[in-house]
Amino acid sequence: MGTLGRAIYTVGKWIRGSGQALDRVGSLLQGSHRFEEHLSRHRTLMNVFDKSPLVDKDVFVAPSASVLGDVQIGKGSSIWYGCVLRGDVNNISVGSGTNIQDNSLVHVAKTNLGGKVSPTTIGDNVTVGHSAVIHGCTVEDDAFVGMGATLLDGVVVEKHAMVAAGSIVKENTRIPSGEVWGGNPAKFMRKLTDEEIAYISKSAENYINLAHIHAAENSKSFDEIEVERALRKKYARKDEDYDSMLGIVRETPAELILPDNVLPEKTTTRVPTTHY
């Protein structure tokens, strides 16, 4: 590094140090209301080699989820908190309106003991329950994978089929349409009822709507979050038994209305008190 380079480096170090000092002073002045941002190397979407995720703009990917490499996700799908979709040695395809719930893992195999290439394909309107593991499988449209289930290489879950929670489905197993399989190893249990088949579609629809709520919450600024938190604490609805124990009577407004001057460049914002 030459003389000019060292000078530029020194100036840059001084500017960064000044910025950090100003940030500490600002945090001190804000007191308990301050927000301290820490550096995180986590990336929700990340390339692997020359492969990058292709995610529709209408997809909700939770901030703590990881979608890596050769992964395609269709419109209206949702990838929830703590999920990992790792398309490094093969590709992953997720259709439209599908939900992959919290802490689930979707991976692929370049090859397996049978010498087969094993990408993972998940169809439209599929529900994958919390903490499921899907590895080199095919899950067809409108299928249901229960919480904690494990699907090994070569498994095919046909349309309108269900894998019970906690099941382990052995390699190259095919689960026919309209059937429930469960256990370790998973075996046929019974036929699905018409109501259960309808529930699979309803579950996917519910998660599409829920994803919109979470996407909206995750897009809020810190100022909006703090204002809403204060108002909800002040006007929060309480259970009647809770109130009677405290000996108080509440007059709760039907909705919370934020003052016009609280959030800049925003008109009156209404915050519903409905609980989900």
Side-chain angles (χ1 to χ4, degrees):
M1 184 185 294
T3 304
L4 179 60
R6 285 196 297 271
I8 293 174
Y9 175 84
T10 302
V11 171
K13 183 178 180 180
W14 178 81
I15 291 173
R16 293 185 66 186
S18 299
Q20 292 169 356
L22 288 171
D23 180 66
R24 288 192 293 270
V25 171
S27 296
L28 183 64
L29 293 174
Q30 287 182 316
S32 62
H33 298 288
R34 71 180 181 273
F35 171 79
E36 295 181 1
E37 187 172 6
H38 299 281
L39 178 64
S40 171
R41 293 185 62 83
H42 172 75
R43 284 184 283 170
T44 304
L45 305 178
M46 189 179 85
N47 292 11
V48 175
F49 305 116
D50 61 336
K51 302 296 184 181
S52 58
L54 184 60
V55 179
D56 188 271
K57 64 181 181 179
D58 193 37
V59 170
F60 169 64
V61 180
S64 58
S66 297
V67 179
L68 316 173
D70 193 359
V71 181
Q72 296 186 33
I73 305 176
K75 182 178 181 180
S77 290
S78 53
I79 312 300
W80 291 82
Y81 305 92
C83 285
V84 176
L85 279 68
R86 180 154 60 91
D88 47 6
V89 296
N90 217 317
N91 65 85
I92 297 172
S93 175
V94 179
S96 301
T98 287
N99 62 90
I100 301 178
Q101 297 173 18
D102 315 70
N103 296 320
S104 292
L105 169 66
V106 182
H107 193 221
V108 290
K110 187 173 183 179
T111 185
N112 55 28
L113 292 175
K116 294 182 179 179
V117 176
S118 298
T120 293
T121 303
I122 301 174
D124 299 336
N125 303 315
V126 173
T127 290
V128 177
H130 314 287
S131 299
V133 177
I134 298 179
H135 197 279
C137 303
T138 298
V139 182
E140 296 182 354
D141 298 348
D142 300 293
F144 188 100
V145 178
M147 294 182 288
T150 299
L151 279 59
L152 301 178
D153 292 13
V155 167
V156 177
V157 182
E158 294 185 358
K159 184 174 182 176
H160 293 150
M162 179 180 289
V163 179
S167 302
I168 297 181
V169 186
K170 294 194 303 184
E171 293 91 340
N172 302 316
T173 300
R174 177 175 285 269
I175 300 179
S177 178
E179 294 184 1
V180 183
W181 284 48
N184 179 14
K187 296 179 180 179
F188 171 73
M189 297 177 68
R190 60 179 176 80
K191 291 284 189 179
L192 281 167
T193 65
D194 291 340
E195 290 78 10
E196 288 169 330
I197 291 175
Y199 168 78
I200 294 174
S201 298
K202 186 64 177 176
S203 175
E205 181 183 336
N206 289 342
Y207 262 88
I208 291 173
N209 296 331
L210 191 58
H212 290 155
I213 295 171
H214 280 258
E217 286 294 327
N218 278 283
S219 67
K220 288 180 179 177
S221 69
F222 293 110
D223 286 341
E224 289 175 295
I225 292 170
E226 289 301 317
V227 169
E228 288 188 8
R229 179 184 297 170
L231 288 174
R232 287 184 185 279
K233 183 176 181 181
K234 183 177 180 181
Y235 295 112
R237 294 182 180 276
K238 297 291 184 180
D239 183 84
E240 291 182 2
D241 292 335
Y242 176 88
D243 284 350
S244 65
M245 285 189 295
L246 296 180
I248 60 173
V249 178
R250 296 177 186 271
E251 294 183 3
T252 307
E255 57 189 354
L256 305 180
I257 302 176
L258 306 187
D260 293 341
N261 62 345
V262 171
L263 301 177
E265 300 180 0
K266 291 214 171 187
T267 56
T268 300
T269 304
R270 298 181 181 275
V271 181
T273 56
T274 304
H275 291 268
Y276 295 94

